[in-house]
Amino acid sequence: MKEIVIKLENVTKHYSMGDAIVKAVDGISIDIEKGDFVAIIGPSGCGKSTAMNLVGSLDLPTSGKIFLGK
Ligand SMILES: Nc1ncnc2c1ncn2[C@@H]1O[C@H](COP(=O)(O)OP(=O)(O)O)[C@@H](O)[C@H]1O
Ligand SMILES: [Mg+2]
């Protein structure tokens, strides 16, 4: 049976840098099922570390929802 252990719903992380807003993560949604083997790939600065920090609860999203199962 399908068991989702990590779910992201339209998650964003924006940083204010003076007048500018850095959209480090700009609306990602994903369902990761138990037993899935997942890799996040992309160029430097695309938001991989920011996304992982959100999944690991080291940081809070600007908006969106994160669900963590067992
Ligand atoms: N604490 C922060 N304050 C401001 N900007 C940040 C911060 N952390 C990351 N960024 C910016 O967010 C973007 C994504 O960074 P990051 O998640 O580290 O990318 P990656 O891990 O894919 O290289 C980059 O433009 C980076 O400069
Ligand atoms: Mg990184």
Side-chain angles (χ1 to χ4, degrees), residues 8-11 27-31:
L8 274 61
E9 277 184 5
N10 207 21
V11 170
I28 56 174
S29 300
I30 189 171
D31 290 347

Side-chain angles (χ1 to χ4, degrees), residues 40-68:
I40 299 181
I41 60 172
S44 179
C46 77
K48 304 180 297 294
S49 293
T50 303
M52 289 305 299
N53 289 344
L54 293 169
V55 170
S57 300
L58 302 179
D59 221 338
L60 292 172
T62 303
S63 66
K65 290 181 179 174
I66 299 171
F67 301 93
L68 301 175

Side-chain angles (χ1 to χ4, degrees), residues 6-37:
I6 299 173
K7 183 181 188 71
L8 274 61
E9 277 184 5
N10 207 21
V11 170
T12 72
K13 183 68 181 183
H14 295 175
Y15 295 105
S16 293
M17 300 288 286
D19 289 343
I21 296 176
V22 176
K23 297 180 176 178
V25 168
D26 195 23
I28 56 174
S29 300
I30 189 171
D31 290 347
I32 298 175
E33 291 176 40
K34 188 173 186 177
D36 279 356
F37 187 92

